[in-house]
Amino acid sequence: MEVTYKGVTKPLIEWIKGSAVSRSATSVRDLINAVASACLSTYFAEKLPDYPTFSVLITQASRPQAAQEAVRWLAGGLKTQQGTAVLDALDLLDDGRITGRESRYAGYFLTQLFQKGEGQVLNRSELLTGALGAEADVRFGLEPEWVAVTLLGLVYAGEVTLALPGRKIDAGNLEEAIKVGIADLANWKFIERPKGLPLATLTELFQLLELPTGLIKDANQHTSAVEQLQKRVAAELDRLVLARQKAQKGLPIWEASLLEGQVKADLLRRLDDHKSFLESLQTYNTPGKLRNFRYSADEVQVQAAGRTLLADLEALAEVVAAIQPLTAYLGIAQAVLPADHEWSQKVRALQREQLAQLRDSKNWRQPTLRSSLSGALENLKSEYIQIYLDLHRRARLNAAEDDRKKRLMADPRHKQLTALSDIDFLPVADLKEWENKLAGLRPCYAIGASDLKERPLCPNCGYRPVEEPAKEPAQFVLDQQEEKLDQLYSAWTNALLINLRQEATQADIALMTPDQQKLLQNFLDTEALPEKVGYDFVQTVKEALTGLERVAVPPEDILMALTEGGMPCTVQELLARFHRFVEKHTEGKAPNKVRIVIEW
């Protein structure tokens, strides 16, 4: 089958090749309609530029049915895809909400009615023209069925009453439109402004407050409508007062305020304006008072911005409340770690990023805002816990290591050295340093990640890395101290042996009592300290070494003496400098009685 249009002849399917219609057509009739639509669309758009565009295929034959489904949608019946498509094409639908006067078609028809003056009607003949069966409105070229649907959209919004032969349809009895055929609806007589309550404005108000609009459209429900209105107004005011209190405080987070300066002042002013509007609604507590509702539909619509702001602010406050425990935790954690720690720098960067996000009002009701912020904070928290546990393990002894420490403190060698510390020439400071380092190793081993879930510090020892920087692991220090005890023990033992074997000291020992000589000779023969270094042994050694003279030399003096005259130098010059240094510090003293001690 071929089709010729404007002198061009092509097979039927070629005219619609590649279009969605070619794939959805299921009959020859569908194909013919699709080809006609493709060929005539440009001509039609030029002749009727404001004619609605439908998302589904509607033909002259299917138009009454499509219009009837749209009427059923408006009257509270079944909401079909075709009915939705019709309402959408006529600009009567916005995100599932009937827009009424906001439709360019409905708005035009309403303007024509308002131009007639108060108490007058707009007749059908003033909108439609053309021969029977070919009627259309004079402005957009809408067929009678589409005009009827558009007018019923205004009825739904409470803007007009539609007069039919023998009956009238208004917002209160719109469901009756389902019982009337589309042909009768399309043959309406006139439209007029509704009597009684300002249904259009009140419908706008009820939509704003998310109340059932049917309550205000049904005269039998007006008492209930007032009750529901007052309950909702009271609830809205409670919400607003609470939100304003939070806004007044600036919504603190991350040691900063999200709302400050002019931004905060403008927000509070807008909240106060919406609060005044809500408070004014409290006077309309009877159906009779509603008849004197002082706001227009446009004035009510303006309040949508205030209600949106309230919802935005509530959403922001919820996000802030949700992440505050995490930000507070990380704030304490920052003070626990050194300021230059890599993790602390990550926290500061995230803080700047999140404050910028939270201060941007476009983000306040983003569904993913809370989860994205919390997720980033939780990641940093988990990272901190692992870092803290690693540092804690580095700075503290576990149970086995603590036992080693206790054994070292109770080691017999430690007790021997402590007893010998009363001998002047021995480096007692080394022993004290050993004891202090060992005592500084604190045990703490009953801690895990769960212990840091609520507070970023060890609940047992309160370890703070910023105050206790562990340059070396406690385990390594413990190993060092174990080796240091061996070294101290050997060094002190050798120092005693060397000094007691000196010729001058031996001469002094020869003058001691036999018991004292035996005590010292046993030590010199075995080269081992007595198992228990008692008072007698210490006093005997001190007496034997009484003739010795101790000369203490700071290490920095040695360094100054060896480098005096400049560096580098020859071996002979270095030896000469050292000899001069020793001679200077031992001048006037018997060399065999002098014992030089370097005070580290």
Side-chain angles (χ1 to χ4, degrees), residues 162-414:
L162 183 67
L164 304 174
R167 70 172 74 187
K168 289 185 178 181
I169 295 178
D170 56 28
N173 66 347
L174 182 57
E175 67 276 5
E176 293 186 13
I178 298 178
K179 305 173 186 178
V180 181
I182 189 61
D184 292 336
L185 290 171
N187 196 34
W188 54 278
K189 294 174 58 180
F190 60 83
I191 57 173
E192 61 183 355
R193 299 182 185 186
K195 302 297 190 294
L197 295 180
L199 291 181
T201 303
L202 292 176
T203 298
E204 193 71 41
L205 175 66
F206 273 55
Q207 286 182 338
L208 171 69
L209 298 177
E210 297 179 88
L211 291 170
T213 56
L215 292 175
I216 202 64
K217 294 174 182 178
D218 186 350
N220 297 322
Q221 297 281 343
H222 285 175
T223 299
S224 177
V226 170
E227 293 173 355
Q228 294 293 323
L229 173 63
Q230 293 305 315
K231 287 181 181 178
R232 181 56 55 85
V233 168
E236 291 286 296
L237 283 170
D238 288 342
R239 286 176 57 202
L240 195 148
V241 169
L242 182 60
R244 194 189 187 286
Q245 290 174 350
K246 294 177 180 178
Q248 182 66 51
K249 295 177 181 178
L251 290 176
I253 192 76
W254 279 119
E255 298 182 348
S257 293
L258 297 181
L259 304 175
E260 296 176 313
Q262 192 59 43
V263 172
K264 175 180 171 181
D266 290 343
L267 187 145
L268 292 175
R269 176 187 54 76
R270 292 169 62 192
L271 287 177
D272 289 341
D273 290 345
H274 189 56
K275 181 172 178 284
S276 298
F277 170 75
L278 291 172
E279 289 172 340
S280 71
L281 298 180
Q282 292 177 317
T283 60
Y284 300 104
N285 53 10
T286 67
K289 291 181 179 179
L290 283 180
R291 296 181 186 278
N292 297 314
F293 192 69
R294 66 185 179 91
Y295 296 102
S296 67
D298 291 337
E299 290 173 325
V300 172
Q301 285 180 355
V302 169
Q303 294 300 321
R307 195 162 190 265
T308 298
L309 175 63
L310 175 58
D312 289 346
L313 189 58
E314 287 176 327
L316 177 62
E318 287 178 6
V319 171
V320 169
I323 68 172
Q324 255 179 344
L326 283 169
T327 59
Y329 181 101
L330 297 183
I332 297 174
Q334 271 187 288
V336 170
L337 294 182
D340 59 350
H341 195 281
E342 181 182 359
W343 181 87
S344 297
Q345 295 173 13
K346 288 183 181 180
V347 174
R348 287 191 288 272
L350 183 65
Q351 177 181 358
R352 291 190 295 270
E353 177 185 332
Q354 292 198 348
L355 284 175
Q357 285 182 279
L358 290 169
R359 283 170 174 155
D360 187 350
S361 59
K362 297 176 183 177
N363 296 327
W364 292 357
R365 275 208 281 179
Q366 287 293 328
T368 59
L369 179 62
R370 177 174 174 175
S371 60
S372 65
L373 296 180
S374 297
L377 295 171
E378 287 286 2
N379 288 340
L380 275 181
K381 179 180 178 181
S382 298
E383 187 177 341
Y384 167 80
I385 290 175
Q386 190 57 54
I387 291 171
Y388 185 90
L389 290 175
D390 291 341
L391 292 173
H392 186 277
R393 280 191 290 269
R394 181 182 174 89
R396 297 289 186 260
L397 300 176
N398 59 30
E401 291 159 350
D402 188 39
D403 288 338
R404 280 180 61 198
K405 171 190 170 182
K406 292 175 181 176
R407 287 195 298 270
L408 275 177
M409 291 297 288
D411 193 295
R413 293 171 297 174
H414 177 217

Side-chain angles (χ1 to χ4, degrees), residues 341-498:
H341 195 281
E342 181 182 359
W343 181 87
S344 297
Q345 295 173 13
K346 288 183 181 180
V347 174
R348 287 191 288 272
L350 183 65
Q351 177 181 358
R352 291 190 295 270
E353 177 185 332
Q354 292 198 348
L355 284 175
Q357 285 182 279
L358 290 169
R359 283 170 174 155
D360 187 350
S361 59
K362 297 176 183 177
N363 296 327
W364 292 357
R365 275 208 281 179
Q366 287 293 328
T368 59
L369 179 62
R370 177 174 174 175
S371 60
S372 65
L373 296 180
S374 297
L377 295 171
E378 287 286 2
N379 288 340
L380 275 181
K381 179 180 178 181
S382 298
E383 187 177 341
Y384 167 80
I385 290 175
Q386 190 57 54
I387 291 171
Y388 185 90
L389 290 175
D390 291 341
L391 292 173
H392 186 277
R393 280 191 290 269
R394 181 182 174 89
R396 297 289 186 260
L397 300 176
N398 59 30
E401 291 159 350
D402 188 39
D403 288 338
R404 280 180 61 198
K405 171 190 170 182
K406 292 175 181 176
R407 287 195 298 270
L408 275 177
M409 291 297 288
D411 193 295
R413 293 171 297 174
H414 177 217
K415 294 181 180 179
Q416 290 171 314
L417 297 181
T418 301
L420 293 173
S421 61
D422 198 33
I423 299 174
D424 290 341
F425 81 95
L426 292 175
V428 180
D430 292 348
L431 180 62
K432 292 297 182 184
E433 180 185 1
W434 180 88
E435 291 173 338
N436 291 336
K437 280 193 174 182
L438 198 60
L441 297 176
R442 296 176 58 186
C444 185
Y445 36 86
I447 181 176
S450 59
D451 297 307
L452 301 173
K453 184 177 180 181
E454 301 299 331
R455 192 166 182 267
L457 289 172
C458 176
N460 304 308
C461 69
Y463 171 60
R464 298 175 66 89
V466 68
E467 296 174 357
E468 297 180 54
K471 297 180 180 179
E472 298 172 330
Q475 301 83 355
F476 178 76
V477 175
L478 183 62
D479 293 338
Q480 282 184 323
Q481 297 314 104
E482 193 164 16
E483 294 175 5
K484 182 69 173 177
L485 182 59
D486 287 333
Q487 295 169 2
L488 285 174
Y489 185 84
S490 298
W492 285 30
T493 300
N494 290 332
L496 289 175
L497 289 171
I498 292 171

Side-chain angles (χ1 to χ4, degrees), residues 148-167:
V149 171
T150 303
L151 294 178
L152 285 173
L154 290 172
V155 171
Y156 178 97
E159 299 278 8
V160 302
T161 296
L162 183 67
L164 304 174
R167 70 172 74 187

